[in-house]
Amino acid sequence: MSASFELKKSVDGQFYFSLRAADGLSVLRSETYTTLASARNGIESVRKNAGTDSRYAFEKSANGKSYFNLKAANGQIIGSSPLYADPNGAKQAADTVKHHAATAPVHDA
């Protein structure tokens, strides 16, 4: 199994997606969207921007863990990674997004 997008509806009726690596772990999660169409557009934005190194902003959380945000050309965050113990974990997750998002299938959960 390769990476795939998992599109879900939350309990409050909003939509969000995660990009899951081949091992099933989430490497990127979206914001919430009010419509399914908007969430699908978010996936397309990830696909479009994932291959561009400058779209990744690596950060450190208040508790010292590392993560990244994937940004669109306009600077808007289109997805964030989970927290990782060190910068290398965030870098590996970003590499997964970079190399697999463009072709990852979408599964509605």
Side-chain angles (χ1 to χ4, degrees), residues 14-55:
Q14 303 240 9
F15 297 89
Y16 68 95
F17 61 84
S18 295
L19 179 63
R20 297 199 173 273
D23 61 8
L25 295 177
S26 176
V27 291
L28 186 77
R29 189 178 190 282
S30 73
E31 64 180 359
T32 55
Y33 298 90
T34 56
T35 66
L36 180 60
S38 295
R40 289 191 184 280
N41 286 341
I43 290 171
E44 290 309 310
S45 184
V46 169
R47 286 180 168 156
K48 179 179 170 185
N49 291 285
T52 305
D53 288 338
S54 63
R55 301 282 194 260

Side-chain angles (χ1 to χ4, degrees), residues 1-105:
M1 178 178 142
S2 62
S4 63
F5 286 99
E6 189 175 85
L7 184 56
K8 291 187 171 188
K9 187 174 186 177
S10 61
V11 293
D12 65 359
Q14 303 240 9
F15 297 89
Y16 68 95
F17 61 84
S18 295
L19 179 63
R20 297 199 173 273
D23 61 8
L25 295 177
S26 176
V27 291
L28 186 77
R29 189 178 190 282
S30 73
E31 64 180 359
T32 55
Y33 298 90
T34 56
T35 66
L36 180 60
S38 295
R40 289 191 184 280
N41 286 341
I43 290 171
E44 290 309 310
S45 184
V46 169
R47 286 180 168 156
K48 179 179 170 185
N49 291 285
T52 305
D53 288 338
S54 63
R55 301 282 194 260
Y56 293 85
F58 291 88
E59 309 284 346
K60 191 167 273 201
S61 68
N63 66 2
K65 298 200 179 227
S66 298
Y67 69 99
F68 68 87
N69 291 315
L70 177 62
K71 297 182 178 186
N74 65 3
Q76 180 179 354
I77 295 172
I78 51 178
S80 298
S81 76
L83 296 176
Y84 293 93
D86 59 61
N88 191 45
K91 172 79 170 85
Q92 288 177 350
D95 285 346
T96 298
V97 175
K98 183 177 181 181
H99 296 293
H100 298 286
T103 58

